């Protein structure tokens, strides 16, 4: 029977040196940023911050230098991610491109695509969105129906993508379309494309979430033309490619650090001499964080070794987002404070932000049901 493959490991000395560098950069760049703004974590969108991070060499860290990268290890990059998240840096403008669009182009893109897009991503100049989920299919990617039909010079696309984060403020999306219908084989006939979101025939409508925020969108394609040179990989190989891409999306420290600001503010709130109950709660949260970090780090080491950690990545995402969603409830049970948004102490406003947004954390990168299906298949249980 298949089992999980989480190996304990430690970061090498060069990664710890990078930690000093990124901490210095973040301290200089973020300065007096409030706890409330830091609580947005990787949901904060700031193109100027991304440009400065790219200028400092912290985007595209593992990519070849000829594409604007810096040829550093996945573990050095991991340190930059966890320090950025712990500091509450506004990373959203470059996050998707750095985490998965760039690596996808490196692995499956053409040389022309790599030359055209990767240097700009590494400079923090391009924002990417992900065009996967669709109405009536949700996170079940194999059931998507948006069609890309072959026409002279490219493809004509019709259909709708949904829950497309930041599509309204991004430059490009990497989208999954159906280029061929294969009866009874829904995983076949899928292809990935680079899509210029400002192209004719593409309409973007906002989806306002329960907190009144706008980062989700519906993206409608009506006879939108996508040129041949924007096909990523081979026509029909999209399923294999997209499952590789999702390993990048599901395994990083963002899957357990999205609520870290509330833990930090909780520690400030209870002070240096917390009561016994508060000390037990903080100790428990810290132990869970340390365990999740080791699991996530194990996957980073597998990626560094060129392995495919899809199964373990799904576990980290499922367990990590469950942990993130529990934190506001744990804080409320401990202190009995009420969440606030426009008034109150920083602690109360951070609490208010996460009470509103934590329920959505399990949607990003595949719902809990989809992840558990992947885990069951990986273990040979279905």
């Amino acid at each position: 029977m298949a089992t999980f493959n989480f190996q304990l490991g430690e970061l090498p000395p060069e990664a710890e040196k990078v930690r000093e560098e990124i901490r210095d950069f973040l301290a200089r760049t973020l300065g007096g940023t409030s706890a409330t703004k830091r609580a947005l974590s990787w949901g904060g969108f700031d193109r100027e911050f991304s440009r400065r991070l790219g200028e400092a060499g912290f985007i595209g860290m593992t990519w070849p230098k000829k594409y604007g990268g810096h040829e550093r290890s996945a573990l050095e990059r991991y340190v930059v991610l966890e320090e950025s998240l712990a500091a509450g840096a506004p990373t959203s403008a470059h996050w998707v491109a750095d985490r998965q669009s760039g690596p996808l182009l490196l692995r499956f893109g053409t040389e022309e695509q790599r030359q055209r897009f990767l240097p700009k991503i590494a400079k923090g100049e391009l924002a990417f969105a992900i065009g996967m989920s669709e109405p009536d299919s949700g996170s079940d990617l194999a059931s998507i129906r948006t069609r890309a039909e072959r026409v002279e010079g490219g493809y004509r696309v019709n259909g709708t993508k949904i829950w497309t984060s930041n599509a309204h403020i991004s430059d490009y999306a990497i989208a999954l379309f159906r280029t061929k219908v294969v009866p009874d084989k829904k995983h076949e006939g899928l292809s990935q494309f680079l899509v210029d979101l400002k192209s004719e025939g593409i309409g973007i409508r906002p989806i306002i979430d329960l907190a009144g925020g706008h980062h989700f969108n519906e993206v409608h394609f009506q006879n939108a033309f996508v040129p041949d040179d924007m096909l990523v990989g081979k026509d029909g190989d999209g399923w294999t490619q997209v499952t590789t891409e999702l390993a990048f999306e599901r395994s990083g420290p963002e899957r357990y650090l999205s609520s870290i600001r509330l833990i930090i503010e909780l520690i400030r709130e209870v002070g240096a001499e917390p009561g016994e109950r508060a000390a037990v709660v903080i100790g428990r949260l810290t132990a869970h964080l340390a365990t999740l970090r080791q699991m996530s780090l194990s996957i980073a080491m597998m990626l560094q070794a060129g392995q495919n950690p899809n199964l373990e990545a799904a576990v980290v995402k499922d367990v990590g987002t469950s942990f993130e969603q529990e934190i506001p409830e744990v804080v409320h049970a401990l202190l009995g404070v009420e969440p606030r948004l426009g008034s109150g102490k920083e602690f109360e406003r951070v609490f208010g932000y996460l009470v509103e947004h934590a329920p959505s954390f399990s949607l990003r990168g595949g719902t809990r049901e989809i992840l558990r299906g992947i885990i069951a298949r990986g273990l040979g249980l279905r």
Side-chain angles (χ1 to χ4, degrees), residues 29 72 85 89 97 122 129 144 149 167 189 202 220 238 288 312 323 341 347 365:
T29 307
R72 303 182 93 156
L85 293 166
I144 67 166
E149 297 176 286
I202 297 178
H220 300 275
H288 283 191
E312 288 78 9
F323 169 70
L341 293 175
F347 168 67

Side-chain angles (χ1 to χ4, degrees), residues 198-213:
K198 296 179 178 59
S199 301
E200 188 176 345
I202 297 178
I204 300 173
R205 296 179 186 171
I207 298 174
I208 305 302
D209 62 27
L210 290 174

